[in-house]
Amino acid sequence: MTEFPAGFFDRADESPDAEFYEVDRFVTHIDGEAIEAVGALYRELQIDGDVLDLCASWVSHFDPTPEHLVLVGMNDRELAANPSASETMVLDLNADPVLPFPDESFDAVTCCVSIDYLIRPIELFGEVARVLRPGAPFVVTFSNRCFPTKAIRGWLGADDRGRCTIVAVYFAAVRTFGEPTVQLRNPGAVGDPLFAVWARKLPGGVAIRPATAADQAIISEMQYAALFVPPGAPPFPRSIIDEPQLHRYHADFATRPGDVGRIAERADGTPVGAAWVRLVDGFGFVDDQTPELGVAVIADDRGRGIGTALLESLLAVVPRCSLSVDERNPAMRLYERLGFARVRVDGEFSAVMLRAGGNGAAA
Ligand SMILES: C[S@@+](CC[C@H](N)C(=O)[O-])C[C@H]1O[C@@H](n2cnc3c(N)ncnc32)[C@H](O)[C@@H]1O
């Protein structure tokens, strides 16, 4: 169980939240540039469908508005004025962090500039994981100002980096979330900085862990699974992964500097996917500082968000890498969504994509 220092969740004003939030506040809590950064992140993550905005008020910063947006907050007049809302609900998440929604009923949950007011975050994050659909994200954004009497002491005593760590620890305490991504979304802003920490609910029963040299056989197996077979074409012979142009990607993995990998496995230890990078002068070579990426999920488990979770976990620690992909491979859309851009096409179909390092702004 995650331990926090004594008094971490205490607040200067311990009176009921309902009294404090009874006052209408039709204000914005961060400046325009930071608000734009929130909307840009939601767009980048393609948040749409059934979305739950926690600690909501009269603006939710979505552009475009999700198809079905449910707001949970404390002030019913503020919620009623929110033009994006499909439904609103007044709930005190500190009095009771149980979310009155069925399991797996949302495509995303958001919480903007409010996480610092929550005194039972681990219970709430567990609830968020329950109501999210597999592969769906919980996106927490925050800046560096707040209502200080209502913020927890642990938050007030931390700096920006420490606050990112606090939110990452909340995610880590709930095993059903993948590794969180932590970013400063508006580097160089003269006004309010906008930090984001988000993670996806892992597909049922799957956990992600770092790859070690003991995982050699898994990485080799995933190298084979990573080969794209165009529709109607026969599968490659298994021996192809021992040919030099593929062997260099997986042989003796996790023994060379720059080898970093993630394994997705079921609770019984059965591997279902892997993502890994290695410095290699291969099909996706860009320069000798940029490792090449390999990623695969076994056929039965594709389309469940495992590939996205693996890549987000790996890219959180290796933001810059390249890859080679057949342009007919639908995985290209996932790569684009995660920040890869095509830099050249070799031959008829072989695109080389580079991820230059996210927004270059990991906190
Ligand atoms: C700084 S405002 C942010 C509002 C909105 N998310 C935004 O981005 O402008 C903090 C919000 O947290 C909500 N809040 C504070 N304590 C809460 C609690 N115990 N339960 C639910 N919501 C809470 C308040 O209703 C308020 O709207």
Side-chain angles (χ1 to χ4, degrees):
M1 209 181 88
T2 312
E3 298 276 349
F4 294 91
F8 192 87
F9 294 111
D10 290 352
R11 297 176 295 172
D13 176 0
E14 297 282 12
S15 64
D17 287 347
E19 291 174 13
F20 185 84
Y21 292 104
E22 173 59 352
V23 179
D24 296 343
R25 294 182 178 86
F26 288 96
V27 298
T28 47
H29 301 277
I30 42 178
D31 64 25
E33 201 179 326
I35 287 173
E36 175 50 34
V38 176
L41 174 61
Y42 293 165
R43 271 195 301 281
E44 185 178 308
L45 296 176
Q46 297 183 0
I47 292 181
D48 201 354
D50 299 311
V51 178
L52 173 62
D53 188 24
L54 296 176
C55 299
S57 179
W58 66 287
V59 274
S60 289
H61 320 308
F62 287 96
D63 181 16
T65 298
E67 192 181 331
H68 184 248
L69 179 65
V70 180
L71 308 182
V72 163
M74 289 293 288
N75 181 301
D76 56 351
R77 291 171 300 279
E78 293 175 18
L79 297 177
N82 190 314
S84 305
S86 309
E87 287 177 50
T88 67
M89 196 176 286
V90 172
L91 274 184
D92 183 342
L93 297 170
N94 285 336
D96 183 1
V98 172
L99 297 174
F101 307 107
D103 295 356
E104 303 191 358
S105 49
F106 289 101
D107 297 303
V109 177
T110 56
C111 181
C112 181
V113 294
S114 303
I115 198 72
D116 36 334
Y117 306 119
L118 298 178
I119 62 173
R120 297 166 67 179
I122 306 303
E123 289 163 88
L124 181 65
F125 275 52
E127 277 291 284
V128 170
R130 181 183 63 73
V131 302
L132 278 173
R133 298 186 174 125
F138 180 25
V139 186
V140 178
T141 47
F142 51 90
S143 188
N144 60 3
R145 54 187 168 117
C146 60
F147 304 128
T149 58
K150 280 291 181 186
I152 58 168
R153 284 199 203 290
W155 191 269
L156 295 175
D159 60 10
D160 291 339
R161 190 170 288 269
R163 290 170 182 162
C164 291
T165 303
I166 289 169
V167 181
V169 167
Y170 293 169
F171 276 112
V174 179
R175 278 184 44 82
T176 38
F177 278 116
E179 198 162 297
T181 299
V182 180
Q183 286 183 348
L184 170 62
R185 294 293 305 183
N186 57 354
V190 287
D192 296 327
L194 198 283
F195 299 96
V197 183
W198 73 93
R200 290 178 189 278
K201 178 179 180 171
L202 293 170
V206 170
I208 290 176
R209 62 168 176 79
T212 70
D215 296 314
Q216 177 59 64
I218 298 173
I219 296 289
S220 297
E221 182 62 28
M222 294 304 161
Q223 178 68 67
Y224 182 72
L227 299 174
F228 175 67
V229 180
F236 294 100
R238 293 193 73 80
S239 58
I240 196 170
I241 62 166
D242 298 323
E243 292 182 12
Q245 73 271 27
L246 290 182
H247 195 248
R248 59 191 167 173
Y249 284 104
H250 64 98
D252 303 320
F253 190 76
T255 61
R256 295 191 204 154
D259 286 356
V260 185
R262 293 286 183 272
I263 306 287
E265 60 189 14
R266 292 194 229 285
D268 65 2
T270 309
V272 295
W276 67 101
V277 291
R278 166 170 269 187
L279 285 162
V280 56
D281 184 353
F283 298 111
F285 183 81
V286 172
D287 60 56
D288 59 10
Q289 305 293 308
T290 304
E292 283 190 47
L293 174 79
V295 59
V297 174
I298 61 170
D300 287 353
D301 283 283
R302 289 183 191 153
R304 301 177 57 211
I306 297 173
T308 303
L310 275 166
L311 286 173
E312 287 192 338
S313 174
L314 185 62
L315 296 174
V317 292
V318 187
R320 180 183 173 88
C321 55
S322 65
L323 59 83
S324 168
V325 59
D326 188 306
E327 289 199 293
R328 294 164 294 179
N329 187 339
M332 271 192 91
R333 285 194 292 279
L334 167 63
Y335 300 140
E336 283 166 357
R337 188 152 50 82
L338 292 174
F340 287 88
R342 190 190 328 226
V343 290
R344 66 172 192 271
V345 179
D346 295 333
E348 204 178 350
F349 296 118
S350 192
V352 173
M353 302 182 84
L354 171 67
R355 188 176 192 269
N359 62 2

